[in-house]
Amino acid sequence: MHPVQSGSPGGMKLLSEYSPDEPVPLGGYAGLTAVWAGAAATFVISRRRSGRPFPDRVPLGDLALLTAGTYKLSRLITKDRVMSFARAPFTRYQGGADRPSEVNEQARGHGLQHSIGELLVCPYCISQWVGGGLLAAYISDPELGRSAAMLLTIVAGSDFLHQAWAAVDKRA
């Protein structure tokens, strides 16, 4: 592993000290974090420069839509069978999941490729990116943000009904 400046006076730390038994792509994680923070900062700066204010608050109904939309889009990106083409350069197929039309995959490669793979297979990890994007869309154009979130919420509700029907049908 490569040495990295520790930030403490005169200290050099090896990344290998963080996880001596299992390689962890800390550089890739740092790169992805920088990309996310850069995108968020770019949005904030451009919004401020445009003179358009940020909303003081988001109505509870819109917050619920954005939350449900973030949930569903995060699952589509990270688990959907049809979206596997987008994850393929960074992941390895592990088989079908317990949920219909979902797959299990694991990150592959090293460094940034592995870090991106981990992001693309983790709905919890990608939700920060998705939520940030939906919130930015909502702040920029509330009707567009609501419409996108409504569509995703409708799909999530439909998924729930499909699962409920399958459970009832299984009992019959």
Side-chain angles (χ1 to χ4, degrees), residues 79 81 92-98 102-106:
K79 298 290 184 184
R81 186 178 310 274
R92 180 164 287 110
Y93 180 74
Q94 298 293 302
D98 295 335
E102 289 192 351
V103 296
N104 287 320
E105 296 166 328
Q106 70 179 33

Side-chain angles (χ1 to χ4, degrees), residues 46-68:
S46 66
R47 182 81 181 180
R48 293 262 186 236
R49 285 189 177 162
S50 75
R52 294 179 305 180
F54 284 90
D56 289 333
R57 61 183 66 85
V58 174
L60 188 57
D62 289 350
L63 185 61
L65 276 176
L66 292 167
T67 301

Side-chain angles (χ1 to χ4, degrees), residues 107-172:
R108 66 182 171 99
H110 302 284
L112 185 59
Q113 178 189 24
H114 188 86
S115 298
I116 293 170
E118 286 190 354
L119 181 65
L120 292 176
V121 299
C122 176
Y124 301 99
C125 305
I126 200 80
S127 66
Q128 177 175 328
W129 295 67
V130 169
L134 282 176
L135 182 59
Y138 175 83
I139 289 170
S140 298
D141 183 344
E143 291 80 18
L144 175 65
R146 268 189 222 100
S147 294
M150 276 191 278
L151 170 62
L152 293 162
T153 300
I154 289 166
V155 174
S158 175
D159 289 351
F160 175 78
L161 292 174
H162 285 297
Q163 292 291 325
W165 173 254
V168 168
D169 195 39
K170 192 179 223 181
R171 288 179 149 187

